[in-house]
Amino acid sequence: MKNRKNEFRRGLLAGAVGAWTVLAGTMALAEPYRDGDTVVFFGDSITHGGFYHTYVTAYYRTRFPERTIRFVNSGIGGDTASGAMRRISEDVTEYAPTHVVFHFGMNDINSGSYRATSDTASLKARETAQAAYRRNFAQLASAVRKENADAAFTYLTPTPYDDRLVDDKADEPLEGCNAGLSLMAGFVLSAAEKDGAAAVNVYSPLENCLVNTRKKIPSFRLNRLDRVHPEIVGHSLMAWAFLKAQQVPALVSDVSVDAGTGRATSVNADVSDVKTGSGEVSFSVLAKALPFPVPALAKGFVSECEVEAKLNDERLRVTGLDNDTTYRLTIDGEEVGTWRGAQLGQGVRLGFNERTPQYRQAQRVLKELEKLAAREAVLRNHHSARWYFGARGAPVDDVKAFEAW
């Protein structure tokens, strides 16, 4: 990370910071990942082609750059808690994980039973699917535990199915499917408590965001037009819920400089070369972390989800200034904002300031991780094809024999 040059000069007045509110909580007590950990995300298509684990990775890459943590995508589109039993060794145990994250349910719901009217047969089929999911999830967790006795488990609830979206291009809605997934989410949380696993409720943040935002924007959607797969904002909410459940540190860095004495204190950053005088304060900062990079499409939701307060607290405080004078902050020669002396004395937050060099550097990290995730998804496509055909008896390791098959 670059050594940043910070300066305050007189200039224009900046706007005020808005209020922060809680959208939804999570059922936590997952532990933050440590140096040397290997984390396997074991799931269906929402893991296979999704990005929630990429955003979790982005947090750890920018907050703890000194840690070597391996994050593995072991999702397969269309898979279920029962189907995943056939790939534990190659998709979980093979990586010698220290942590396994389970995310199944969307394909276990038996969507066909929600296509028909709520007659006796359909209701019975739904009940049967719920019971099978509870049984299969428990068996899957037990089987993974048998092969990975030392790994810590985290159970993610299913995500919502959007059966209320009104859009001519969307798939026909499955009435009641979302309510069925809500039941599954409740089971996952109780199963985690029973099994001593960590639990992350990703259902509630997405459902609450959907309901609250649609009151203002009726056409708003979190999922694709298939009503099943979360898009960027949905995956961001999943990652934020996951990180909050881990109770990861919010602090990026905290820098305080006294313009009167030239003294500086800092947390997670080194401050040097402090100079004061002539209405100007300058100093160098070498931060030990970057701000958490949030995808551009999700930025509008950070205040509703307390992302700054809970995950991205990059703070700068300058005391000893004239309270009523407006000062201009530049970093590496670029203006990033203006504040009154009183505001700077209380401290300003820079984690989501798009004009700072560190914000742009963190976004570059995210872009590289997204490229990596896209390449990993292609490898998962290849792996899933082998898995599907192999499950049907195809000779997947012999090209000519496979073509003949």
Side-chain angles (χ1 to χ4, degrees), residues 257-261 276 281 317-323 327 341 344-346:
V257 176
D258 188 326
T261 65
T276 65
V281 183
R317 185 181 301 102
V318 180
T319 58
L321 300 172
D322 182 78
N323 286 342
Y327 295 85
L344 291 165
Q346 293 176 351

Side-chain angles (χ1 to χ4, degrees), residues 46 80 102 115 140 211 313 334 399:
I46 295 173
T80 61
F102 294 77
R115 299 183 192 281
L140 178 64
V211 170
D313 187 8
E334 297 183 49
V399 175

Side-chain angles (χ1 to χ4, degrees), residues 190-209:
S190 63
E193 184 176 4
K194 176 184 175 183
D195 295 350
V200 181
N201 181 358
V202 294
Y203 179 92
S204 293
L206 271 68
E207 178 70 5
N208 291 345
C209 178

Side-chain angles (χ1 to χ4, degrees), residues 36-52:
D37 279 345
T38 294
V39 185
V40 171
F41 289 88
F42 194 33
D44 53 31
S45 59
I46 295 173
T47 299
H48 177 163
F51 282 95
Y52 72 91

Side-chain angles (χ1 to χ4, degrees), residues 17-339:
V17 178
W20 301 88
T21 55
V22 178
L23 172 64
T26 59
M27 216 182 143
L29 297 169
E31 62 179 27
Y33 299 133
R34 302 174 182 175
D35 187 37
D37 279 345
T38 294
V39 185
V40 171
F41 289 88
F42 194 33
D44 53 31
S45 59
I46 295 173
T47 299
H48 177 163
F51 282 95
Y52 72 91
H53 39 73
T54 299
Y55 303 143
V56 170
T57 304
Y59 170 87
Y60 278 93
R61 293 286 185 259
T62 52
R63 192 59 47 89
F64 304 110
E66 76 286 356
R67 296 184 187 181
T68 300
I69 304 171
R70 186 182 188 188
F71 295 93
V72 180
N73 179 345
S74 283
I76 281 189
D79 204 2
T80 61
S82 61
M85 289 285 291
R86 298 194 298 272
R87 58 186 181 95
I88 294 172
S89 293
E90 59 185 314
D91 264 352
V92 180
T93 310
E94 175 73 18
Y95 300 103
T98 57
H99 294 78
V100 182
V101 180
F102 294 77
H103 189 229
F104 294 94
M106 188 62 75
N107 300 311
D108 300 81
I109 193 77
N110 185 3
S111 59
S113 65
Y114 294 91
R115 299 183 192 281
T117 57
S118 298
D119 55 20
T120 302
S122 297
L123 294 175
K124 181 63 176 177
R126 296 173 192 180
E127 292 177 1
T128 300
Q130 291 283 338
Y133 176 65
R134 294 192 294 270
R135 181 176 62 253
N136 293 333
F137 191 100
Q139 291 176 348
L140 178 64
S142 177
V144 174
R145 174 71 71 201
K146 186 175 181 180
E147 292 191 21
N148 302 271
D150 296 328
F153 285 7
T154 301
Y155 296 171
L156 270 63
T157 66
T159 52
Y161 171 88
D162 189 355
D163 53 11
R164 292 152 293 179
L165 173 65
V166 178
D167 191 312
D168 292 338
K169 298 179 181 179
D171 290 353
E172 286 295 315
L174 304 175
E175 299 292 340
C177 185
N178 191 42
L181 287 164
S182 177
L183 290 176
M184 287 181 167
F187 160 74
V188 169
L189 297 178
S190 63
E193 184 176 4
K194 176 184 175 183
D195 295 350
V200 181
N201 181 358
V202 294
Y203 179 92
S204 293
L206 271 68
E207 178 70 5
N208 291 345
C209 178
L210 187 62
V211 170
N212 293 336
T213 307
R214 198 163 277 169
K215 292 175 182 177
K216 298 175 285 187
I217 309 172
S219 61
F220 174 77
R221 59 187 176 89
L222 280 175
N223 294 354
R224 299 176 194 168
L225 292 173
D226 62 9
R227 303 176 184 270
V228 169
H229 295 90
E231 294 194 293
I232 296 300
V233 174
H235 278 282
S236 298
L237 291 172
M238 292 175 68
W240 300 344
F242 190 96
L243 292 166
K244 290 175 187 176
Q246 288 191 304
Q247 300 180 346
V248 295
L251 182 70
V252 181
S253 62
D254 190 337
V255 173
S256 296
V257 176
D258 188 326
T261 65
R263 294 177 181 174
T265 59
S266 60
V267 180
N268 211 39
D270 295 326
V271 183
S272 61
D273 196 26
V274 180
K275 298 177 182 178
T276 65
S278 302
E280 178 178 324
V281 183
S282 67
F283 48 93
S284 295
V285 175
L286 179 62
K288 298 179 181 178
L290 290 171
F292 175 40
V294 171
L297 291 174
K299 275 204 70 178
F301 297 88
V302 295
S303 61
E304 295 183 52
C305 302
E306 283 195 311
V307 177
E308 184 174 53
K310 297 292 186 181
L311 298 175
N312 212 27
D313 187 8
E314 184 184 17
R315 194 167 301 187
L316 176 64
R317 185 181 301 102
V318 180
T319 58
L321 300 172
D322 182 78
N323 286 342
D324 297 323
T325 297
T326 299
Y327 295 85
R328 180 166 60 100
L329 169 64
T330 65
I331 304 179
D332 292 349
E334 297 183 49
E335 182 178 329
V336 302
T338 57
W339 293 271

